[in-house]
Amino acid sequence: MPQFLNTADSDFEARFTDLLGAKREDSPEVDDVVAGIIADVRARGDAAVLELTAKFDRLQLTAETLAFSPEQIAAECAKVSSADRAALELAADRIRAYHTRQLPTDESWTDDTGATLGWRWTPVSAAGLYVPGGLASYPSSVLMNAIPAKVAGVARLAIAVPTPDGVANPLVLLAAQLSGVDTIYRIGGAQAIAALAYGTETVAPVDKITGPGNAFVAAAKRRVFGKVGIDMIAGPSEILVIADADNDPEFLALDLLSQAEHDESAQSLLITTDAAFGKAVAAEVDAQLQVLERRAIAGASWRDNGAVITVRDLDEAAALSNRIAPEHLELCVADPDALAAKCTHAGAIFLGQYTPEAVGDYVGGPNHVLPTARSARFSSGLSVLDFMKRTTMARMTPGALKAIGPAVETLAASESLQAHGLSVTARLRKLNAE
Amino acid sequence: MPQFLNTADSDFEARFTDLLGAKREDSPEVDDVVAGIIADVRARGDAAVLELTAKFDRLQLTAETLAFSPEQIAAECAKVSSADRAALELAADRIRAYHTRQLPTDESWTDDTGATLGWRWTPVSAAGLYVPGGLASYPSSVLMNAIPAKVAGVARLAIAVPTPDGVANPLVLLAAQLSGVDTIYRIGGAQAIAALAYGTETVAPVDKITGPGNAFVAAAKRRVFGKVGIDMIAGPSEILVIADADNDPEFLALDLLSQAEHDESAQSLLITTDAAFGKAVAAEVDAQLQVLERRAIAGASWRDNGAVITVRDLDEAAALSNRIAPEHLELCVADPDALAAKCTHAGAIFLGQYTPEAVGDYVGGPNHVLPTARSARFSSGLSVLDFMKRTTMARMTPGALKAIGPAVETLAASESLQAHGLSVTARLRKLNAE
């Protein structure tokens, strides 16, 4: 049974604040373990990575078999059905088309002093994508991480994916191939992040690491941040559906469950203007939970973290949504565009009743790597820009330096940075002597 | 005496690798201390912040005096000379003009299935800017952090600046006022970062924290990352000057010293095609060091971290520059644009002999908060985008869902995410029944 809240109730604010603040994920004390693993990989390179892979994945590799060979990749990809391949290709094409539009433009202009200013975007040289192993080894995540990197122009793209007990996911390998990935290392955990960040004899270091992972992977990404770029520390998935009564309860129940089935820590929230409709959706969730394959996970998520919130009107819904800053926001109302304009903090917005969030997970085109845990307040989903960086450019003419140089001298003096000022003074002296 | 390297020497690669890998900053064991401070501020709020301020800044504040009052700000600003004020205003205007051009555009389009896709940018609601106290309390940094935030549309902008022994920097307060900062807290260190991230009775929490700081501030930013957004972990400043022999050695010596005078850990590098010219610049550095106010700091930086590297040609210079990925890159050569095209990893590029790096620190227009410690390989200087986030948008029509929904069903099945597939199946069933 999820929580039922109503903004008209006197205890609403307290209960909503609790809901927002509730910690949905275990924080095991992994940081020390991860620090040790990273130090080990830095000190011993391949040897450490191979030992840790034997220990955690029960898989004996060598430097030669750390990466899948082209033959292994081809053999695994051949196992994929033509229907699965076609669906992956459609997804890849649509994701590529969407992300190609994100490519930024360089700018250059000359201002009234004659100075030329601007900026230039360039891709990072090498990126590493982490892909979890086991149950959460999703080919769609490979597409969502690798395609933006390739669109950005990243020259070398590596994947790290653990293969516990030696079992690979053919769809992950095919997704990598469709995305143009260069190398697939069959390693995981903090040891994979350390190897990608610092390099080993076999693993070439990269400049940027993206992709989801468990608590060990997250802690490792946090630790290597600075040495390399990272995308974000991803938390459990979330969906907020805002709906009026003019919706099919089954549709919304399945949308709520499509997040809940990811993880017991996932959170599915419904905000509705109609309390009876909220009850109807909750009843439909219960009905679906009787038969859903992942009903244990989805049921626990819905029971522990789910909520149905009744509001007076859609303005109130938007205000609550902005406090939640949901990863996924579905707007199933008569005028979703009008409501979207008021929902300013969200990773992705799905407009109207025919846009289930699952479309966005796979083939919609936008990225499914999105900010969780209220971080849509300050961050964005993965994009082409995550694999690029901007260099600012400035060129002064003698006239421009004469115009603005004196202000540099003044400000440098005020900050007691004498050489800063002198670097302008020496040039102005020469220019004024000419 | 800096190092002198030459790519023609047999030991060049080893020495250059050492230069790249040299750790230029002490890493005191601050992390445990910082963890304790953050926990204390979260647990005790204002009381902890006030105690820590009394301890570290020797300043007794109360909840009422934690922020400067409008009267205090006005009184401090009145101390600023008109020349300093005019220079700050020129800088603010030029920084605002440059950053206004960075404002991103929203996009929306309809694809061949009838799906409407796109994205929308919105500002973060509240940002906190850290400004160091004491010697490194730079008004220019206030402008460089606050103006992009205001241009982005951030509604609430707070500064935290410690005032050791109660001494404020009038120029910092004026820069804050010119930038439109709402609140100035006179607190610093990890306690300021914790207060901004988590809030206290007096300090309202923010969504994004930017700005430079010492090792404690950096460790605190790293720890609150995720709860709030942060800009980057800034390291010591760096400059790389690439010059041919057709330059005034005095200009370049002063440019190298303008980084060296920041910090003993700063690094100033010269790459030149002419070994004799390199010696001439080094001699000029030595001459300037005789009289420079901050000669102790600048001298130590130049001696311990400086280097003059002679190369065969500018292509070799560009290749080395890309391995260094300098924060600041000055190109003092006949055709700086041609060389810039080859220098793909740099925070900011300064083109030609009349563009000393100091112009970029103050009034050029581009931001002076730039990636250090080789992180220009994967990150960019501060910009308006750091204070905004992008929400992706998708709207399916019935026709669009019929076109791409089956691929969702296929991929969801392949990932064993049944509810994902059913959320599409239920809708397609209804549409096909109509």
Side-chain angles (χ1 to χ4, degrees), chain B residues 333-353:
Chain B
V333 297
D335 187 351
D337 290 315
L339 182 55
K342 297 173 186 167
C343 295
T344 50
H345 303 345
I349 298 183
F350 302 87
L351 300 146
Q353 64 168 320

Side-chain angles (χ1 to χ4, degrees), chain B residues 65-69 72-73 77 129 131 142 157-163 169 172-177 181-187:
Chain B
T65 61
L66 204 63
F68 282 105
S69 68
Q72 286 174 314
I73 294 172
C77 289
L129 315 178
V131 182
V142 175
L157 199 52
I159 279 185
V161 55
T163 52
N169 181 338
V172 162
L173 301 193
L174 179 60
Q177 199 175 61
V181 170
D182 299 292
T183 312
I184 307 174
Y185 300 109
R186 46 197 309 176
I187 57 178

Side-chain angles (χ1 to χ4, degrees), chain B residues 194-350:
Chain B
L196 289 171
Y198 289 98
T200 69
E201 301 90 322
T202 304
V203 179
V206 301
D207 302 304
K208 178 102 187 188
I209 298 177
T210 69
N214 63 17
F216 290 85
V217 170
K221 282 170 68 180
R222 189 183 284 267
R223 279 197 167 261
V224 301
F225 170 52
K227 167 67 181 168
V228 299
I230 65 171
D231 52 341
M232 62 183 80
I233 307 294
S237 196
E238 312 149 0
I239 190 171
L240 168 60
V241 179
I242 301 179
D244 57 29
D246 192 20
N247 276 281
D248 185 327
E250 185 191 17
F251 293 3
L252 304 195
L254 287 165
D255 297 347
L256 294 168
L257 287 168
S258 70
Q259 291 309 300
E261 73 177 346
H262 270 295
D263 187 342
E264 292 185 8
S265 302
Q267 183 164 57
S268 301
L269 304 175
L270 172 66
I271 295 182
T272 178
T273 45
D274 186 306
F277 179 76
K279 296 256 182 217
V281 172
E284 184 64 30
V285 168
D286 288 340
Q288 298 283 348
L289 276 172
Q290 301 300 311
V291 293
L292 200 67
E293 287 162 11
R294 296 169 72 111
R295 57 184 170 272
I297 293 170
S301 162
W302 180 239
R303 179 190 69 227
D304 295 342
N305 305 310
V308 176
I309 303 173
T310 303
V311 292
R312 295 178 186 86
D313 54 39
L314 293 178
D315 280 347
E316 207 170 57
L320 294 181
S321 175
N322 287 340
R323 289 176 65 187
I324 295 166
E327 180 189 14
H328 305 100
L329 176 59
E330 263 186 40
L331 303 180
C332 300
V333 297
D335 187 351
D337 290 315
L339 182 55
K342 297 173 186 167
C343 295
T344 50
H345 303 345
I349 298 183
F350 302 87

Side-chain angles (χ1 to χ4, degrees), chain A residues 207 258 340 353 377 420 427, chain B residues 120 207 353 377 420 427:
Chain A
D207 302 305
S258 70
Q353 64 169 320
R377 293 175 295 122
H420 284 66
R427 286 167 167 95
Chain B
R120 189 189 65 187
D207 302 304
Q353 64 168 320
R377 291 175 296 123
H420 284 66
R427 286 168 166 93

Side-chain angles (χ1 to χ4, degrees), chain B residues 336-375:
Chain B
D337 290 315
L339 182 55
K342 297 173 186 167
C343 295
T344 50
H345 303 345
I349 298 183
F350 302 87
L351 300 146
Q353 64 168 320
Y354 289 108
T355 317
E357 184 276 328
V359 165
D361 283 339
Y362 296 112
V363 301
N367 212 287
H368 81 194
V369 180
L370 294 165
T372 58
R374 303 190 62 218
S375 64

Side-chain angles (χ1 to χ4, degrees), chain A residues 110-122:
Chain A
T110 302
D111 72 13
D112 55 3
T113 70
T116 302
L117 301 169
W119 62 78
R120 188 190 65 189
W121 290 90
T122 47

Side-chain angles (χ1 to χ4, degrees), chain A residues 98 118 120 140 207 227 255 258 261 293 340 343-344 346 353 377 380-381 389-391 415 418 420 427, chain B residues 98 118 120 140 207 227 255 258 261 293 340 343-344 346 353 377 380-381 389-391 415 418 420 427:
Chain A
Y98 182 95
R120 188 190 65 189
S140 56
D207 302 305
K227 166 67 183 169
D255 296 348
S258 70
E261 73 177 346
E293 287 163 12
C343 296
T344 50
Q353 64 169 320
R377 293 175 295 122
S380 311
K389 63 269 188 323
R390 191 187 50 247
T391 301
E415 295 187 353
Q418 187 190 19
H420 284 66
R427 286 167 167 95
Chain B
Y98 182 95
R120 189 189 65 187
S140 56
D207 302 304
K227 167 67 181 168
D255 297 347
S258 70
E261 73 177 346
E293 287 162 11
C343 295
T344 50
Q353 64 168 320
R377 291 175 296 123
S380 311
K389 63 272 189 324
R390 190 188 50 249
T391 300
E415 295 187 353
Q418 188 191 17
H420 284 66
R427 286 168 166 93

